[in-house]
Amino acid sequence: MHGRNASNGEAIALRGISKAFGSVTVLKATELAVHKSEFLTLLGPSGSGKTTLLNLISGAITPSSGEILLAGRDITHMPPRDRGIGMVFQNYALMPHMTVFENVAYPLRARREPSEAIRRKVLDALDRVGLKGFDDRKPRQLSGGQQQRVGIARCIVYSPAIIMMDEPLGALDKNLREQMQTEIKRLHQELGTTIIYVTHDQEEALNMSDRICLMKTGEIAQLGTPDELYFRPNSRFVAEFIGESNLLCGKSVAANSVAIDGAGAVLVPSSERGLGSDVLIMVRPEKMHIFASDADTPAGHNVLRGVVEAISFIGGMTRITVKTAHGVSVTAKIISGPACTRPELGSAAKLSWSPTESVVLNG
Ligand SMILES: Nc1ncnc2c1ncn2[C@@H]1O[C@H](COP(=O)(O)OP(=O)(O)OP(=O)(O)O)[C@@H](O)[C@H]1O
């Protein structure tokens, strides 16, 4: 398994990679392996280190410590152009005086490929990104979305094994962004390329990725599938960054029970915790059910009582917030139906959820 095959299916591996600018460490020692053909997204708030990580992999900056392996080979000190990693930028970085054809041909000309091969590959790349027949245009004659397609064509034209995209859809409006997300996913499936994608948009990350690497102040907060980050966040930060969450503070009173501050004990999945330790229970709003105060709740469910303080209709779903007797606002998201089927503003209500839907986080 080792020797020639030392990469073990890893396209990129970071081993103890860190980066400091002067005395400020912006990326703490990081371990990360990106699998071959994987779509991995670096997600995180502004300043969390996503671009720094990308720049380290591309070779635009050198690490303060650690090593970077490309398919098992140490490239830590290799110049960027020799790494063969394709880049797609938010601002497209097209050459304005060149036609679309020449922009896309550029990396092939730099590699001195024969002109017939260049023509074939450029037209194929333009076809793949839906720009057949646009080869004679100049970038300024294209919309933002079309310019980014040229940026993508220029990247896929020389078949790099790894493509990195830094907020590629950041300059586009919402509808176009969603359409381009679908197209980038399709291209990923067609080409089987490893993609490392940077965004600070959690919906984009959930929609596109095989795995998400969520960054927080220069560290990986959690690395996992979209499902894992959404349903099994490992911390309050992850629970709050991905999707909406209800957080209830309490103390562990048994392996499967937490006493919520001011509201009695609720059941949670069993796990080993120090009794009396501070914990947070996270429940996604769509796992919360709402009932009139005199209605029966499902057997075995946890129940909180309160008063409906806000109702907002968000299309297919309706968000109902209940202020509980212990003064905490808890939100349930239910499938929208006629107004008569939901509690009225100001009325007493019960919220219930299955103990299996409680995620226990360290307090
Ligand atoms: N050349 C530099 N010199 C000094 N500090 C830098 C430099 N480049 C980045 N930083 C700092 O490193 C931290 C991480 O920046 P980085 O650009 O990697 O974040 P990011 O997650 O990509 O943020 P954004 O979403 O805003 O692009 C920030 O605090 C930033 O100010």
Side-chain angles (χ1 to χ4, degrees):
M1 280 305 285
H2 292 283
R4 266 165 60 84
N5 202 10
S7 65
N8 266 335
E10 289 171 1
I12 288 273
L14 306 184
R15 304 265 163 81
I17 282 288
S18 73
K19 181 66 186 175
F21 290 106
S23 61
V24 183
T25 300
V26 300
L27 189 71
K28 293 165 203 159
T30 297
E31 305 288 323
L32 175 66
V34 186
H35 307 145
K36 285 194 174 128
S37 298
E38 180 174 32
F39 195 118
L40 181 109
T41 297
L42 302 175
L43 175 70
S46 184
S48 57
K50 308 179 295 291
T51 304
T52 300
L53 201 51
L54 212 64
N55 286 339
L56 286 163
I57 297 172
S58 75
I61 57 175
T62 51
S64 306
S65 71
E67 51 183 26
I68 303 175
L69 307 180
L70 179 74
R73 185 166 159 231
D74 188 344
I75 57 154
T76 315
H77 301 289
M78 186 186 276
R81 65 175 180 281
D82 297 339
R83 299 185 181 199
I85 296 175
M87 290 291 299
V88 176
F89 303 96
Q90 176 173 352
N91 61 5
Y92 321 133
L94 303 179
M95 285 166 282
H97 56 285
M98 287 188 186
T99 61
V100 165
F101 185 96
E102 283 307 324
N103 267 285
V104 177
Y106 190 81
L108 301 177
R109 295 214 193 282
R111 286 170 174 73
R112 305 193 180 287
E113 294 218 10
S115 58
E116 198 32 54
I118 291 179
R119 186 166 175 74
R120 182 172 42 79
K121 289 182 184 179
V122 169
L123 295 180
D124 178 58
L126 287 175
D127 197 11
R128 280 186 188 278
V129 299
L131 284 184
K132 201 173 179 169
F134 285 71
D135 35 318
D136 281 338
R137 300 243 194 134
K138 292 280 178 58
R140 71 181 138 72
Q141 296 171 307
L142 301 175
S143 69
Q146 289 167 334
Q147 289 185 47
Q148 191 53 293
R149 287 165 202 262
V150 178
I152 295 169
R154 181 185 53 188
C155 183
I156 64 173
V157 74
Y158 65 98
S159 308
I162 298 174
I163 296 177
M164 301 207 291
M165 302 189 172
D166 193 357
E167 302 255 3
L169 309 181
L172 307 178
D173 66 37
K174 190 174 182 317
N175 283 345
L176 190 54
R177 219 162 57 211
E178 283 169 7
Q179 188 191 336
M180 292 289 288
Q181 285 173 13
T182 310
E183 293 198 24
I184 292 174
K185 263 169 67 172
R186 174 184 54 77
L187 267 177
H188 173 244
Q189 271 156 12
E190 275 175 29
L191 302 172
T193 313
T194 306
I195 295 186
I196 304 176
Y197 191 95
V198 169
T199 183
H200 60 248
D201 179 338
Q202 45 120 349
E203 279 182 30
E204 190 162 292
L206 290 172
N207 173 20
M208 300 186 76
S209 320
D210 293 319
R211 283 191 306 162
I212 296 172
C213 175
L214 179 56
M215 310 279 303
K216 181 195 179 192
T217 53
E219 282 183 283
I220 298 178
Q222 191 169 355
L223 172 66
T225 62
D227 244 56
E228 283 165 351
L229 267 70
Y230 189 82
F231 290 111
R232 291 200 299 279
N234 65 7
S235 63
R236 177 181 198 141
F237 171 77
V238 179
E240 291 189 314
F241 197 84
I242 308 263
E244 287 181 61
S245 52
N246 291 300
L247 291 169
L248 302 165
C249 304
K251 278 198 190 326
S252 177
V253 290
N256 69 341
S257 176
V258 170
I260 302 214
D261 300 347
V266 298
L267 294 173
V268 297
S270 278
S271 72
E272 302 222 347
R273 274 181 304 275
L275 289 189
S277 58
D278 289 329
V279 292
L280 273 176
I281 298 179
M282 194 273 305
V283 186
R284 294 292 182 194
E286 66 275 18
K287 302 296 181 189
M288 281 284 181
H289 306 277
I290 188 149
F291 296 92
S293 62
D294 55 354
D296 290 334
T297 51
H301 271 209
N302 292 313
V303 178
L304 287 175
R305 288 177 172 278
V307 172
V308 177
E309 67 171 359
I311 300 176
S312 69
F313 176 63
I314 45 172
M317 303 291 275
T318 297
R319 196 186 278 126
I320 302 177
T321 303
V322 171
K323 185 134 186 192
T324 66
H326 68 301
V328 172
S329 294
V330 178
T331 298
K333 223 158 136 187
I334 59 171
I335 294 178
S336 299
C340 59
T341 62
R342 60 185 186 236
E344 274 179 43
L345 205 58
S347 66
K350 283 195 283 199
L351 288 164
S352 87
W353 74 98
S354 160
T356 57
E357 302 295 354
S358 310
V359 177
V360 181
L361 307 169
N362 290 325

